[in-house]
Amino acid sequence: MCKHPMPKGLRFAVLQRTMRRQMDEYVRGTGLTGTQFGVLGALERLEREGTGEVTQKALEDAAHVTHPTMTELLKKLESKGFITCRPSEVDRRCKAVASAEKARALRKAIGEFDERVFSELCQGLSEDEVAQLLRITDVMLENAKKMNGARDFAPCGKGCESE
């Protein structure tokens, strides 16, 4: 029998809020805003897809941000040393954006932090139970993707099996 008499969907919402709250506290210590952090995440996904250089326009689309907003975000991220910007080699009218070493180091640290928070949430579960949980949530994520019109919204983009 269930220990917590709350709706099933609410359980996922509570877990998501807990993860987000922990991550927000961590990000605050980096000097980044949530929006700047989101742009770095979108840039990482686009770079990982390996389709060549990432343009400001592609980043605007991926982060769902307007051109003027993205321009300001990129200026701030570049001044903080998280990205580099240059004219595109494909179309000189466009700006190409790339992660700097500082952003790559931050991603590594955040990945480690995410693992720690997940481990804390899974205290009391065996390794087999955690593996089963991950298999189940993979199926649920695929179902959610179908329900959302087959948009790939997974933060890891393509090739999640290795993560």
Side-chain angles (χ1 to χ4, degrees):
M1 192 69 186
C2 176
K3 289 183 185 179
H4 303 284
M6 68 171 67
K8 294 172 187 84
L10 182 57
R11 294 165 187 239
F12 287 100
V14 168
L15 292 170
Q16 188 272 340
R17 281 195 304 269
T18 301
M19 290 287 295
R20 177 159 307 229
R21 189 176 314 113
Q22 294 292 313
M23 191 60 70
D24 286 349
E25 287 179 26
Y26 184 84
V27 169
R28 260 193 294 282
T30 67
L32 293 171
T33 67
T35 304
Q36 290 168 345
F37 184 71
V39 168
L40 288 177
L43 177 59
E44 175 192 10
R45 287 188 298 278
L46 291 170
E47 287 175 332
R48 192 175 26 227
E49 288 173 5
T51 57
E53 67 182 15
V54 177
T55 63
Q56 178 174 339
K57 174 69 173 131
L59 198 50
E60 290 164 8
D61 293 343
H64 309 290
V65 176
T66 65
H67 179 74
T69 300
M70 183 59 72
T71 298
E72 288 304 310
L73 286 165
L74 294 180
K75 284 180 189 174
K76 289 178 183 169
L77 287 169
E78 190 170 30
S79 73
K80 292 178 180 185
F82 286 99
I83 63 164
T84 59
C85 296
R86 61 172 173 70
S88 167
E89 294 176 8
V90 176
D91 183 347
R92 305 295 277 172
R93 297 171 296 169
C94 298
K95 184 185 294 185
V97 183
S99 294
E101 180 56 38
K102 189 173 180 179
R104 291 187 289 276
L106 177 63
R107 280 196 291 264
K108 183 176 187 278
I110 286 174
E112 292 167 358
F113 181 79
D114 181 78
E115 283 296 321
R116 275 197 316 268
V117 172
F118 182 77
S119 292
E120 287 179 36
L121 287 172
C122 291
Q123 283 181 355
L125 297 176
S126 69
E127 285 184 34
D128 287 342
E129 289 170 324
V130 172
Q132 184 178 12
L133 171 66
L134 292 172
R135 281 191 303 275
I136 291 167
T137 54
D138 281 346
V139 171
M140 294 176 80
L141 285 169
E142 283 302 312
N143 292 338
K145 193 162 74 171
K146 291 174 193 169
M147 293 168 68
N148 286 299
R151 291 181 303 204
D152 184 9
F153 57 86
C156 58
K158 298 174 185 160
C160 295
E161 295 80 26
S162 65
E163 293 184 17

